[in-house]
Amino acid sequence: MWYGGFKKVGAEMAKVYSRVTKINNVAGRSDYISNPDRQEFIKLTGKSRAFDWKDYADFEKMNQKSHTKNNEARELVIALPNEMSERLSDKILDDFSHDLAQELLGKKRDYEFALHFNQSQTNFHMHLLFSERERNTDRQPKVYKRDMWFDKTTNRMTKAQAKNAECRYKKGDVMKDKHGHIKYDDDPFTKKDKAFTERSWLKAHQETIQNVLAEYHYVLDIFDDTLEIAQKKLYKGASAEYLEYAAHWNQMAYEANTTLKEARSALLSEYKVLKPLMNEYRVFSGKEQEMDQADLHLKIFKQNGYAGNTWNVFQRTKYFLMYYEEDKTNVQSYKELSNKISGSVFNQADFQNPTHYFKLLIQKIKTFPEIVRTVKKEFIKQYGTIERYKKYQHTLAKKEREKEQKSKSPLDLRLERLKAENKQQGKQKKRQPSERNKGLSR
């Protein structure tokens, strides 16, 4: 099993973590993330500008086409380094929040953010609430295309020549509703931007978070599902049973990820060392047998007899005139490069020749995600649910008891059996009914 003997090493580089969720009650969510009565450890809140989420909510309700509520907004939850809350002033944190929001969403979109800790003050994070729509800033108000005449008595439209007629709206005047709000030809918001539902954005936005954090001198790595195991979220209000299970999973995942990262880093480091050497070696790639044969010819020529082979004068003369100098140069270069490459490989036991070893190395790098998938399957099989985790704990405890029993001497085991037998006899004695006096009754 891959993770059975993992040892915890130095702290791993912090990861960029983010989660995107759909929001169908944006006003309620806005209050939840920014209301001090509902959040104990708020550090900072802010908005792109003064606006009301009710406008978005009302528009979604008006354009609802089924029984399912429209998404009124989306929310990004972004984990931040805990030390940011102490090291950066509120002004710098505010600048950072707006920079990050605008890099992620653009400069025309309404958004709201809140920075705070979780209840145990172990996780500093950002809530970023935003709409998939933008406000339509190019809207044209509706105007009257002609003069509008109304009857003073009945308030009904009439002709200009009618009795009691008055002109209430002139051609070109802006139309307003009964509440005095301007009417427009088009909607107040654009169509929803589908980019926020595409996998490309879900992947790219983490790189954006990484880049903005780097500008504020916080360097974080990006989580890659194909190369490491995700940790479980410690949800607010989760049961103690789940928290114990999740904490165990996270510890084992951390140890597994550390080992996986070290293994992959070793492969990439070796590739980095060998790649330029293999570029030099490419003239010999796949010609190892030819070079070995050329080396044999040089030895036969030098000794005029090697491994049972003997060349006559004609063969020696022909070889000297046609092949000797070329073989001598090639074999020397081949041996020097082969020795240099051989001395640079990490796993000497796998080394046959440079071409074979380098192809094997590339194959290991390409198939590394398969190793990660195998480890994940083992994780899920071992303790992928709370029930499996309990079974795993029970098995561990049983093995520990068996190990403890095996380590005891025959005398200890004999004494334990005697104690158990005495205890059992004592219980039976207590259960026996007391005998009555058999004397004459008074």
Side-chain angles (χ1 to χ4, degrees):
M1 193 178 299
W2 262 77
Y3 49 88
F6 287 164
K7 293 182 180 179
K8 189 171 181 178
V9 294
E12 192 177 6
M13 180 181 284
K15 301 287 183 183
V16 173
Y17 171 81
S18 62
R19 184 181 76 250
V20 187
T21 53
K22 300 173 184 178
I23 305 298
N24 56 26
N25 179 9
V26 66
R29 188 62 183 173
S30 170
D31 181 69
Y32 176 77
I33 67 172
S34 60
N35 188 339
D37 294 332
R38 302 182 72 180
Q39 297 291 339
E40 296 179 11
F41 304 107
I42 295 178
K43 178 69 175 177
L44 195 69
T45 61
K47 279 186 171 184
S48 53
R49 63 184 185 84
F51 70 93
D52 194 341
W53 285 114
K54 187 176 182 299
D55 297 341
Y56 289 92
D58 289 345
F59 183 78
E60 297 297 348
K61 287 170 185 173
M62 287 174 58
N63 289 273
Q64 187 172 317
K65 297 179 180 179
S66 66
H67 295 295
T68 304
K69 287 185 177 181
N70 286 2
N71 296 329
E72 296 176 1
R74 286 183 180 265
E75 180 185 20
L76 256 175
V77 179
I78 304 167
L80 300 174
N82 290 345
E83 57 269 24
M84 285 184 74
S85 66
E86 298 294 333
R87 292 184 182 176
L88 303 185
S89 66
D90 286 357
K91 172 66 171 63
I92 295 176
L93 278 175
D94 186 69
D95 290 343
F96 162 78
S97 300
H98 285 292
D99 286 347
L100 181 56
Q102 290 177 15
E103 285 295 322
L104 289 167
L105 311 173
K107 296 184 178 180
K108 295 182 180 180
R109 200 173 305 278
D110 287 337
Y111 61 82
E112 179 180 8
F113 66 84
L115 305 181
H116 50 72
F117 275 98
N118 60 338
Q119 193 170 14
S120 58
Q121 291 189 278
T122 57
N123 177 12
F124 188 54
H125 56 278
M126 176 184 192
H127 293 264
L128 181 58
L129 206 58
F130 66 95
S131 173
E132 296 162 87
R133 304 182 189 274
E134 291 182 2
R135 287 187 181 271
N136 195 341
T137 54
D138 298 326
R139 300 178 74 197
Q140 298 297 321
K142 289 184 177 181
V143 296
Y144 292 99
K145 296 180 180 179
R146 59 185 178 85
D147 293 343
M148 304 297 292
W149 294 83
F150 290 81
D151 188 287
K152 294 180 184 179
T153 306
T154 63
N155 285 326
R156 292 181 178 178
M157 290 180 62
T158 187
K159 295 180 179 180
Q161 300 81 9
K163 187 180 178 181
N164 295 328
E166 66 174 357
C167 182
R168 293 186 183 175
Y169 308 108
K170 292 186 177 181
K171 181 180 179 180
D173 284 352
V174 174
M175 291 186 183
K176 295 183 179 180
D177 60 20
K178 61 181 180 181
H179 302 294
H181 300 143
I182 296 174
K183 292 182 178 181
Y184 292 90
D185 284 323
D186 46 15
D187 293 328
F189 302 104
T190 62
K191 291 183 178 180
K192 288 186 175 181
D193 191 339
K194 293 183 179 179
F196 297 113
T197 63
E198 294 173 357
R199 295 180 69 88
S200 58
W201 184 84
L202 294 174
K203 183 177 181 180
H205 86 273
Q206 291 199 332
E207 294 180 4
T208 302
I209 295 169
Q210 183 187 42
N211 293 336
V212 176
L213 280 167
E215 290 177 9
Y216 285 80
H217 309 293
Y218 288 92
V219 180
L220 275 67
D221 203 355
I222 293 180
F223 174 78
D224 188 340
D225 185 62
T226 64
L227 299 175
E228 50 194 318
I229 301 166
Q231 297 204 342
K232 301 289 184 183
K233 180 172 173 56
L234 302 175
Y235 295 99
K236 183 187 289 187
S239 66
E241 187 179 52
Y242 170 81
L243 292 175
E244 180 189 344
Y245 155 71
H248 176 267
W249 173 283
N250 290 347
Q251 175 61 26
M252 297 303 289
Y254 168 80
E255 294 174 1
N257 286 336
T258 300
T259 299
L260 289 167
K261 185 176 181 180
E262 287 176 351
R264 185 168 181 271
S265 295
L267 293 174
L268 294 176
S269 297
E270 189 172 19
Y271 175 85
K272 191 175 180 180
V273 171
L274 293 181
K275 179 61 178 173
L277 294 175
M278 292 304 298
N279 287 340
E280 292 182 49
Y281 186 80
R282 65 181 180 272
V283 293
F284 302 114
S285 179
K287 298 179 180 179
E288 288 84 3
Q289 289 184 351
E290 291 181 27
M291 291 299 100
D292 291 341
Q293 188 64 41
D295 187 36
L296 178 61
H297 287 163
L298 288 172
K299 289 176 180 177
I300 294 173
F301 176 80
K302 182 179 179 181
Q303 299 176 11
N304 193 27
Y306 180 78
N309 295 317
T310 303
W311 284 357
N312 57 36
V313 175
F314 175 76
Q315 288 172 316
R316 286 175 59 79
T317 304
K318 180 182 177 183
Y319 180 74
F320 178 75
L321 293 174
M322 298 182 65
Y323 305 110
Y324 175 76
E325 288 298 334
E326 183 180 357
D327 281 357
K328 185 178 178 181
T329 302
N330 286 343
V331 168
Q332 184 178 353
S333 299
Y334 169 73
K335 284 184 176 180
E336 287 176 356
L337 266 176
S338 295
N339 291 336
K340 192 182 291 186
I341 292 168
S342 175
S344 302
V345 304
F346 294 173
N347 302 299
Q348 292 288 339
D350 295 335
F351 188 80
Q352 293 180 14
N353 61 60
T355 303
H356 170 269
Y357 188 84
F358 194 65
K359 285 181 179 179
L360 187 65
L361 177 63
I362 292 174
Q363 185 64 19
K364 286 180 181 178
I365 294 171
K366 286 182 177 179
T367 58
F368 197 82
E370 294 178 14
I371 296 173
V372 178
R373 283 195 291 272
T374 302
V375 176
K376 286 180 183 178
K377 286 179 182 177
E378 289 292 328
F379 258 61
I380 294 168
K381 182 179 178 181
Q382 187 86 342
Y383 31 69
T385 62
I386 295 178
E387 289 70 24
R388 289 180 185 175
Y389 168 65
K390 286 181 178 178
K391 187 176 179 180
Y392 164 77
Q393 291 290 79
H394 177 74
T395 304
L396 280 185
K398 185 178 178 181
K399 286 181 179 179
E400 194 64 33
R401 287 194 299 271
E402 290 173 353
K403 185 179 177 182
E404 189 178 341
Q405 287 293 106
K406 288 179 181 179
S407 65
K408 290 179 179 179
S409 67
L411 178 60
D412 291 334
L413 294 172
R414 178 60 182 162
L415 290 173
E416 281 186 4
R417 282 197 294 270
L418 286 172
K419 286 180 182 178
E421 289 171 3
N422 291 339
K423 192 175 181 181
Q424 187 66 22
Q425 288 175 1
K427 288 181 180 179
Q428 290 176 352
K429 194 172 183 180
K430 285 182 181 179
R431 287 198 293 268
Q432 289 177 358
S434 58
E435 293 185 5
R436 292 184 179 180
N437 292 329
K438 296 181 180 180
L440 295 172
S441 59
R442 292 180 182 178

